[in-house]
Amino acid sequence: MSEIRIEHVSKSFNGQYAVQDANLTIADGEFLVLLGPSGCGKTTLLRTVAGLGMADSGRISIDGRDVTYLKPGERKISMVFQSYAIFPHMTVRDNIGFGLKMNNVPASEIQANVAEAAELLHIENLLDRRPSDMSGGQRQRVAVARALAMKAEVLLMDEPLSNLDALLRLEMRAELKRLLADVNATTIYVTHDQIEALSMGDRIAVMKDGEIQQVDGPSTVYDHPSNQFVGSFIGNPPMNFLTGTVSAANGSVSVAVGPDQITPAAALAPALKAFDQKPVTIGIRAESMEALSSPVPGAIKVSVVVVEPLGPQNLLTVGLGDQRLKVSTHPSFPVAAGDDLWLQFPSDQIRWIDPKTEQVLS
Ligand code: ATP
C-alpha cells in the first residue's frame, strides 16, 4: 500500500502563494498527473511530496506515515527530473545503480535491479556506454531506469519528456505508460502538456495560480470541466465559449445567441432560470456541434471564416456576430471560407457557465 495523501498543503515564496491549500489523495498504484500552465505550482507541490521543499503548512503522508518533515531519503520515493540529472561520464550501468549504491544496497542486488530496469527500458545493450555519447531519448531511458531500479513504491516525475523532440516524446509517452502500468508504483507526474496528461493519467489534477481546480479522470476533465479555465486549458482546440442571454418565461427556458435560440437540457433549466434576462456563457467543444449546409429548425447560422484541413478533420473558424468559434468537420464535408453554415448544439454537449464565477452550472 502506497497511498499518498496531501492535506491542506500551502507553500509561499516572498509572500506569494505557489501552492494554496492543496488537497489530493493518490491511491495505491495510481498514476496521477499534475497539469497546469507554467508557474501554476506543479513543481512546488511535487517538491513538497519529495521533501525537496518543505510545505509551510498542511500534511503529507505516504502509506499512512506522516512524511511532512522527513528528508527525501527517508520518504521511500524515487524521482525523475526534467534535466535527467544523470552523470555523463559514468557508465549507464553505474548511473542506473547509483541510487542503490548510495543506499548501501548489496552489490548482487544492485546488479539484479539494474539488469531488470535496463530490460524494462530496452537498454540492456547500452549498459557499458556513457550517456555523454547517447541520444536524448536514450538518456531519458537511463533516467527512468535509475528511478525504477530503486523499486520505490512511489515515483515522482517532473516533466520527464520535455527535452525530447516531438516524435520521440510520442514514442516515450506510450512506452512510459506501459512501463508504469507494469511496475504499479504510485506515481505523480508533472506536465504542462495536456495531451500527455490526457493520454497517460488515471486521473488529472488541473492547477491554476497555485490552486487545484479539478481532479478527475481524463474523459471527465475533457467532457465535464468544472470551470471555464479547465475547459480552456484542456483540448486542442480549447473548448469554445459563447455568450448568450437567458429568457425564462412560462416555465420554459431558452437562451438567445444572436438571432437564434438554444433550448437547454431539462435538467439544467432550473439552474439557468436564475440568469433570466442575464448573460450566460455557453461552453461547447469543436467536435460536439453538427455542421449542416442548409438551415434546420434550432440550428444556429454562422459564416465560415477559415478552413484548416488537418488530415482526419477540417478545423473551421466560424463567425457568429462578433464571436468566433472552432468547429471540426469530417474532411468529406464540403465547405469553403465565405460559406454560410448551420450548427446544431446537442443539449447534452453544452456546458453552461456562470460568467461571473466562471464555474460550470450543474
Ligand atoms: P513550470 O511548468 O514552468 O515548471 P510550475 O507549475 O511547476 O511551472 P512552480 O515552479 O511550482 O510552477 O512555480 C510556482 C510559482 O512559485 C512561480 O510563480 C514561481 O516563480 C515561484 N517559485 C517557485 N520556486 C521558487 C523559489 N525557489 N523561489 C521563489 N519563487 C519560486
Side-chain angles (χ1 to χ4, degrees), residues 142-196:
V142 175
V144 175
R146 183 177 58 189
L148 296 185
M150 301 291 288
K151 301 232 175 210
E153 288 178 11
V154 171
L155 199 52
L156 306 178
M157 306 181 110
D158 192 353
E159 306 247 13
L161 306 184
S162 63
N163 290 342
L164 305 181
D165 67 48
L167 199 61
L168 198 53
R169 216 178 150 118
L170 201 69
E171 202 178 291
M172 277 297 286
R173 191 170 83 196
E175 269 190 46
L176 256 186
K177 182 169 175 166
R178 168 194 62 83
L179 202 72
L180 294 174
D182 284 354
V183 299
N184 204 34
T186 308
T187 305
I188 305 181
Y189 184 101
V190 164
T191 183
H192 64 269
D193 181 336
Q194 47 98 21
I195 299 290
E196 214 164 274

Side-chain angles (χ1 to χ4, degrees), residues 40-274:
C40 71
K42 310 176 293 289
T43 295
T44 304
L45 183 56
L46 191 78
R47 286 171 64 87
T48 64
V49 177
L52 296 170
M54 292 294 166
D56 296 336
S57 57
R59 182 177 186 270
I60 296 168
S61 59
I62 298 176
D63 192 12
R65 188 169 69 115
D66 187 341
V67 300
T68 318
Y69 300 107
L70 295 187
K71 293 188 187 123
E74 298 166 335
R75 296 191 182 203
K76 298 192 188 152
I77 52 165
S78 194
M79 284 176 274
V80 184
F81 298 103
Q82 182 176 351
S83 60
Y84 315 156
I86 52 177
F87 304 108
H89 301 297
M90 215 183 248
T91 62
V92 167
R93 186 188 311 282
D94 289 344
N95 263 291
I96 299 176
F98 183 77
L100 296 166
K101 200 170 170 194
M102 288 293 106
N103 287 355
N104 298 319
V105 172
S108 58
E109 198 178 322
I110 297 182
Q111 202 180 357
N113 286 13
V114 169
E116 190 186 341
E119 193 185 330
L120 272 171
L121 281 133
H122 307 307
I123 50 172
E124 307 95 308
N125 55 338
L126 299 179
L127 282 172
D128 295 315
R129 299 233 334 240
R130 289 171 209 284
S132 51
D133 50 59
M134 287 175 10
S135 72
Q138 288 169 328
R139 273 185 236 163
Q140 187 62 67
R141 286 194 176 83
V142 175
V144 175
R146 183 177 58 189
L148 296 185
M150 301 291 288
K151 301 232 175 210
E153 288 178 11
V154 171
L155 199 52
L156 306 178
M157 306 181 110
D158 192 353
E159 306 247 13
L161 306 184
S162 63
N163 290 342
L164 305 181
D165 67 48
L167 199 61
L168 198 53
R169 216 178 150 118
L170 201 69
E171 202 178 291
M172 277 297 286
R173 191 170 83 196
E175 269 190 46
L176 256 186
K177 182 169 175 166
R178 168 194 62 83
L179 202 72
L180 294 174
D182 284 354
V183 299
N184 204 34
T186 308
T187 305
I188 305 181
Y189 184 101
V190 164
T191 183
H192 64 269
D193 181 336
Q194 47 98 21
I195 299 290
E196 214 164 274
L198 287 172
S199 65
M200 295 176 85
D202 291 327
R203 282 188 309 155
I204 303 172
V206 186
M207 290 185 74
K208 180 195 173 206
D209 297 338
E211 290 185 71
I212 296 175
Q213 307 287 309
Q214 182 170 6
V215 189
D216 268 312
S219 61
T220 306
V221 288
Y222 185 82
D223 290 329
H224 293 279
S226 61
N227 61 35
Q228 191 162 340
F229 169 77
V230 175
S232 66
F233 192 74
I234 293 194
N236 184 16
M239 185 173 256
N240 291 297
F241 301 106
L242 284 172
T243 301
T245 306
V246 179
S247 136
N250 308 324
S252 74
V253 176
S254 66
V255 179
V257 182
D260 298 304
Q261 301 284 330
I262 296 178
T263 305
L268 269 303
L272 282 166
K273 272 188 187 156

